[in-house]
Amino acid sequence: METAADAGEEELLPPRSSLVSDDDEDVDEVEEQGGNLKEPLLEHHPINLRRHAPNNTSQLAIVGSNLCPIESLDYELIENDLFNQDWRSRGRAAILRYVFLKWTFCLFIGTVAGAVGFFNNLAVENIAGYKFVIVSDLMLANKYWTAFWLFAGSNLALLLFATVITAFVSTAAGGSGIPEVKAYLNGVDAPDIFSLRTLAVKIVGMIAAVSSSLHVGKAGPMVHIGACIGAIVGQGGSSKYGMTCRWLRYFKNDRDRRDLVTCGSAAGVAAAFRAPVGGVLFALESLSSWWRSALIWRAFFTTAVVAVTLRALIDICERGKCGLFGKGGLIMYDVTSDTITYHIADLPPVILLGVIGGILGSLYNFLMLKVLRVCSLINEKGRAYRLLLAATVSIFISCCLFGLPWLAPCRPCLKEDCPSIGHSGSFKNFQCPPNHYNDLASLFFNTNDDTIRKLYSSETNDDFQKSSITVSFVASYVLGILSYGVAAPFGLFVPIILTGASYGRLIGMLMGSNSNLDHGLFAVLGSASFLGGTMRMTVSVCVIILELTNNLLLLPLVMLVLLISKTVADSFNPNIYDLILKLKGLPYLEDHAEPYMRQLTVSDVVAGPLRTFNGVEKVGNIVHILKTTGHHAFPVIDEPPFSSSPVLYGLILRAHLLSLLKKKCFLPTCTLSGFDASKQFLADDFAKRGSGKHDRIEDIELTAEEMEMFIDLHPFTNTSPYTVVETMSLAKALILFRQVGLRHLLIVPKSSCRAPVVGILTRHDFMAEHILGLHPFLVKSRWKRLRIHKSTLTRFFRTSLMWACS
């Protein structure tokens, strides 16, 4: 049996365990040399605990609004006699078929993701567009109360519909889904996140939620949708519905499924923004933990297929057959200009934009985390509370969006499409007289795509008032944070772009004659700075912004703003997706080791008796251990008479043991089987299933006579598992574990006179909460970024005040 818990593979811990606080100032003190290394190892100090923290020790996590058991993925290749014979039996035709299928699946994922992305935009543009048209017509007829009730009622109905199907059908579809995809590509298998049911709820719920005038977007859900498509394709068919073929069995493993999920997530970004290169870079920079050149090529092919699919579908809409779907759809703003010029004198405003954007972005993350914690407590109380929260947020936002434009004065129209009557996407009359428009209503009563297009447009410096842009920025900032607490499918990307665009245009207005840059350019740079301040992505966001605006001349300024905003924001807190990962309790392995891990060896974090199997094991012993433990891998030890001394033969998986018990190929005596495993079993018998029902030991019925028989485990044991010596530092083992993508790492003794294996490392053993729980004296050795904390700012201002008074 394994020592320590695998991810979700030991007894489940309480869902609200006390964990080491990241918010404690004592823990956050930076130790320049990695902590006090002279502290005696036997001296323990008390740990500061926090009460309402999700379980980050990898046993349970919050997926949607429910606590779910978490397991790890088996990315390691199994090398046993059965699988080796299966690989040797594959001819050239089988290998070519396997490669051909990989590219075919990428083609299918790109086509479907592009079609879904187009359908989502088409639906949102028409549902939200007709809603705004009807409300505008009622306003023109001076039926203000009727317009308000229709506006608020439709928003409430749409959001409640999205929340109901999420709460009752698939809670895993709630939120953007990017944290779950990121955790999956790190090796975490949260239940139901890629099921067909989750995919359907994600698509329908996202359309309803985005159309309900919440400050939410489509990009995050599209990443999850693309990943769902990739995961479903990578399941190798479905035996439940009779949709399987023998040649699909090659993909029934976590390694190939991971690659398809990566391609699907890249396709989702490409479908959301029509940015194929940005999609590949987003998956590389923000999602995937393992990457290789072949995967880049396949992901790029997938996103290219998305771009072609979108182009073909948009050409159909240009014939006027798509209702209100227009230029604002798919966020292709085309703010092109061949005359964009900037000089050294224009750099200070751009630098200021990046600095303030970083501060505002980090504050956005801080407030978002506080709101999500409160909303999680409400959502956990039951479905009725989730609906009540959604209704409250919807009514509040509807009142704000309808009431705030009354504060803005009317302005005379200077353009041909002002105001718009009978169609969406332009300036709104609202309560103004004929030939006048309300600039604030024009920002609130349009889809997010159309609003961003207005803010990005060049040569529009006189279209908006400073007060209206200020109100728009504050409203977008606050309402975006409040909206994300609702248990419905939607994302953060577009609201952050919208808030950043308002902020950038406001900075451009405040600069006045001190800068020659256009206000639309300031809006683009504002979006870049806000994205850098919240999501902390540089390369992918830079390319996405350039593909959105279709203007390569912005590259130097966008790069500068992103670098500054990310650097400033990193001084305060992590990026928003890492914060949500931690809040959900998903056991994500970072790409760096904490300094305290170098003070520990791998044997310092494993505990408990080690359960093993013999090479030829009694059926009753196997059943007993499987029923009394939840572990997913067991060392196989050969002892006399099968070897001269105890020796580690390999590692066998729980799923493979269950398959052997189901087949009931037992031996009457404790001897080697002597038969060819490939004649008794097929590799498909041990292939990993998809998201369907898994085998359980409780479902296998065995007679008393069968329980006394034996199984030869040698042909089914992985004879080359990864092993480390017990004196290896925990930091070094973490790098190996993460880079190879392991689920189990065997610990072998330094001395040959001991047992051949002394423990197993799993994902749980690398979690900070587990390590610091075992060795609390290492809390102050925990590495922290050089971040600015409240106590630091207080001391700074106090010192400055004393210096000024003296």
Side-chain angles (χ1 to χ4, degrees):
M1 181 187 82
E2 299 173 29
T3 65
D6 197 347
E9 295 151 25
E10 200 180 31
E11 57 276 5
L12 297 179
L13 298 179
R16 290 285 173 187
S17 60
S18 296
L19 305 176
V20 178
S21 172
D22 285 343
D23 300 328
D24 269 294
E25 295 174 5
D26 293 335
V27 180
D28 287 341
E29 293 290 336
V30 177
E31 299 288 343
E32 294 183 0
Q33 300 300 327
N36 186 2
L37 302 180
K38 296 181 180 180
E39 194 163 1
L41 292 180
L42 297 178
E43 182 180 353
H44 287 205
H45 297 281
I47 303 178
N48 292 318
L49 301 177
R50 69 182 178 192
R51 294 182 179 176
H52 301 290
N55 178 17
N56 282 359
T57 56
S58 77
Q59 304 299 324
L60 292 172
I62 300 175
V63 179
S65 299
N66 293 339
L67 287 170
C68 303
I70 299 297
E71 296 182 0
S72 295
L73 296 169
D74 294 300
Y75 290 149
E76 182 183 1
L77 291 176
I78 302 298
E79 295 183 353
N80 57 30
D81 294 345
L82 179 63
F83 282 87
N84 289 340
Q85 292 178 26
D86 179 66
W87 274 101
R88 285 193 294 267
S89 65
R90 299 182 185 181
R92 184 178 180 85
I95 296 175
L96 292 176
R97 186 188 304 121
Y98 171 72
V99 175
F100 174 77
L101 283 175
K102 274 190 174 183
W103 289 99
T104 304
F105 284 167
C106 289
L107 175 66
F108 178 80
I109 292 170
T111 304
V112 175
V116 172
F118 174 80
F119 172 75
N120 290 344
N121 280 274
L122 180 66
V124 170
E125 290 281 321
N126 280 280
I127 295 174
Y130 280 115
K131 176 185 66 178
F132 291 133
V133 168
I134 295 174
V135 171
S136 298
D137 291 340
L138 291 174
M139 294 293 290
L140 287 174
N142 296 328
K143 299 179 181 179
Y144 301 132
W145 280 109
T146 305
F148 169 73
W149 291 118
L150 176 65
F151 179 69
S154 59
N155 290 340
L156 179 62
L158 288 168
L159 184 58
L160 285 180
F161 172 73
T163 308
V164 165
I165 62 174
T166 304
F168 287 88
V169 181
S170 176
T171 57
S176 70
I178 290 181
E180 287 82 358
V181 174
K182 185 174 181 178
Y184 179 88
L185 294 179
N186 189 256
V188 179
D189 187 16
D192 214 31
I193 59 173
F194 292 142
S195 66
L196 187 62
R197 179 176 55 186
T198 299
L199 174 61
V201 172
K202 199 79 176 184
I203 294 174
V204 178
M206 182 266 290
I207 293 173
V210 175
S211 301
S212 67
S213 294
L214 258 67
H215 274 60
V216 293
K218 307 181 290 290
M222 275 306 305
V223 174
H224 193 183
I225 289 170
C228 285
I229 296 171
I232 292 172
V233 169
Q235 288 188 13
S238 173
S239 57
K240 179 180 179 181
Y241 298 103
M243 301 172 58
T244 184
C245 296
R246 191 172 188 276
W247 43 269
L248 288 177
R249 66 188 177 93
Y250 299 146
F251 294 89
K252 291 187 175 183
N253 62 83
D254 288 331
R255 182 176 290 251
D256 284 321
R257 198 172 299 162
R258 175 191 64 189
D259 291 349
L260 293 175
V261 169
T262 304
C263 293
S265 60
V269 178
F273 295 115
R274 200 158 61 173
V277 180
V280 176
L281 294 176
F282 183 88
L284 170 62
E285 182 180 9
S286 303
L287 299 177
S288 183
S289 297
W290 299 280
W291 203 272
R292 61 186 187 278
S293 58
L295 185 56
I296 292 179
W297 180 223
R298 279 198 292 274
F300 184 73
F301 170 75
T302 307
T303 57
V305 173
V306 172
V308 173
T309 302
L310 289 176
R311 184 67 265 172
L313 294 174
I314 290 175
D315 286 342
I316 297 176
C317 283
E318 289 180 351
R319 304 169 190 170
K321 300 180 179 180
C322 296
L324 296 180
F325 183 82
K327 296 181 178 179
L330 292 169
I331 319 180
M332 191 65 177
Y333 302 111
D334 290 327
V335 285
T336 58
S337 176
D338 297 330
T339 60
I340 291 181
T341 58
Y342 43 87
H343 307 282
I344 297 298
D346 296 319
L347 293 184
V350 174
I351 295 174
L352 177 65
L353 192 74
V355 172
I356 299 177
I359 296 173
L360 291 174
S362 61
L363 178 62
Y364 191 91
N365 291 359
F366 172 79
L367 296 175
M368 177 71 73
L369 186 62
K370 298 298 182 183
V371 170
L372 287 179
R373 282 177 175 169
V374 174
C375 293
S376 294
L377 294 176
I378 298 174
N379 290 328
E380 288 172 5
K381 292 182 178 180
R383 295 168 177 169
Y385 285 88
R386 298 176 202 173
L387 298 178
L388 180 61
L389 176 62
T392 303
V393 172
S394 177
I395 293 172
F396 175 76
I397 291 179
S398 295
C399 292
C400 291
L401 296 181
F402 195 88
L404 289 176
W406 291 86
L407 303 177
C410 298
R411 310 191 68 190
C413 289
L414 301 176
K415 297 188 176 183
E416 295 180 358
D417 59 347
C418 170
S420 63
I421 299 176
H423 64 89
S424 177
S426 190
F427 294 94
K428 301 299 179 183
N429 181 273
F430 206 62
Q431 87 289 8
C432 296
N435 297 323
H436 286 71
Y437 72 98
N438 186 314
D439 57 349
L440 189 55
S442 300
L443 297 176
F444 286 166
F445 281 80
N446 276 307
T447 61
N448 288 337
D449 293 1
D450 287 321
T451 301
I452 297 173
R453 182 181 178 84
K454 290 179 182 302
L455 294 172
Y456 276 12
S457 298
S458 58
E459 300 179 359
T460 58
N461 292 359
D462 299 326
D463 287 354
F464 301 98
Q465 299 179 103
K466 191 182 300 181
S467 58
S468 298
I469 293 295
T470 303
V471 173
S472 174
F473 164 63
V474 175
S476 299
Y477 195 97
V478 175
L479 299 183
I481 294 174
L482 293 178
S483 299
Y484 202 70
V486 178
F490 41 66
L492 281 171
F493 222 111
V494 172
I496 289 175
I497 291 177
L498 175 58
T499 305
S502 301
Y503 149 71
R505 185 169 275 264
L506 177 61
I507 294 296
M509 291 180 172
L510 295 177
M511 286 296 168
S513 60
N514 295 324
S515 175
N516 296 322
L517 299 180
D518 188 85
H519 292 178
L521 177 57
F522 268 106
V524 175
L525 298 179
S527 294
S529 70
F530 213 65
L531 286 169
T534 53
M535 300 185 176
R536 314 296 160 78
M537 295 176 291
T538 53
V539 179
S540 57
V541 167
C542 181
V543 174
I544 288 174
I545 289 292
L546 295 179
E547 290 184 287
L548 286 182
T549 58
N550 197 22
N551 196 337
L552 194 60
L553 297 175
L554 301 178
L555 178 60
L557 295 180
V558 173
M559 291 174 63
L560 178 63
V561 165
L562 282 170
L563 289 172
I564 294 174
S565 62
K566 182 185 184 303
T567 303
V568 172
D570 279 338
S571 302
F572 293 93
N573 51 32
N575 69 74
I576 186 62
Y577 294 130
D578 285 350
L579 291 174
I580 297 176
L581 270 173
K582 192 164 191 178
L583 181 66
K584 286 177 174 287
L586 295 169
Y588 185 85
L589 289 181
E590 300 288 348
D591 56 357
H592 65 272
E594 300 275 0
Y596 63 76
M597 290 185 177
R598 302 197 178 277
Q599 303 179 47
L600 301 173
T601 62
V602 292
S603 60
D604 292 328
V605 297
V606 293
L610 181 65
R611 301 282 186 90
T612 63
F613 288 128
N614 295 317
V616 180
E617 187 59 79
K618 189 176 181 180
V619 173
N621 291 340
I622 295 177
V623 173
H624 173 71
I625 291 178
L626 292 181
K627 284 185 175 181
T628 55
T629 68
H631 308 315
H632 281 242
F634 303 88
V636 176
I637 308 295
D638 263 343
E639 296 182 348
F642 301 108
S643 64
S644 58
S645 61
V647 61
L648 173 65
Y649 186 79
L651 192 73
I652 189 165
L653 299 180
R654 181 186 188 91
H656 293 179
L657 289 171
L658 293 175
S659 298
L660 291 173
L661 293 175
K662 287 177 62 179
K663 283 286 186 177
K664 297 185 178 183
C665 290
F666 302 147
L667 302 173
T669 59
C670 183
T671 58
L672 294 176
S673 60
F675 62 81
D676 186 357
S678 62
K679 296 180 180 179
Q680 300 287 334
F681 299 90
L682 296 175
D684 194 31
D685 295 332
F686 299 90
K688 182 157 185 178
R689 297 189 180 184
S691 58
K693 183 180 179 181
H694 296 273
D695 292 330
R696 299 189 311 150
I697 184 62
E698 291 78 11
D699 299 331
I700 300 177
E701 297 182 359
L702 297 171
T703 65
E705 180 182 358
E706 290 171 336
M707 296 285 280
E708 297 297 322
M709 301 180 75
F710 296 85
I711 300 179
D712 185 2
L713 302 180
H714 291 95
F716 316 100
T717 300
N718 181 10
T719 57
S720 58
Y722 283 88
T723 61
V724 295
V725 69
E726 61 181 341
T727 55
M728 176 182 284
S729 71
L730 190 61
K732 192 173 182 180
L734 170 64
I735 301 303
L736 172 65
F737 194 94
R738 188 184 190 276
Q739 289 185 351
V740 180
L742 300 178
R743 186 177 188 177
H744 308 94
L745 185 59
L746 297 182
I747 303 175
V748 295
K750 189 76 171 178
S751 172
S752 59
C753 61
R754 298 172 57 195
V757 58
V758 297
I760 298 181
L761 283 172
T762 62
R763 178 177 296 266
H764 166 76
D765 298 305
F766 295 103
M767 293 294 103
E769 291 74 20
H770 169 69
I771 299 171
L772 298 178
L774 294 175
H775 308 283
F777 55 89
L778 295 174
V779 169
K780 289 189 177 181
S781 302
R782 193 172 186 181
W783 180 84
K784 290 288 179 183
R785 290 183 182 271
L786 293 174
R787 288 183 176 138
I788 301 173
H789 303 285
K790 182 172 65 176
S791 59
T792 306
L793 291 175
T794 303
R795 289 194 296 267
F796 172 76
F797 286 119
R798 185 185 301 136
T799 305
S800 301
L801 181 60
M802 293 175 61
W803 178 82
C805 294
S806 62

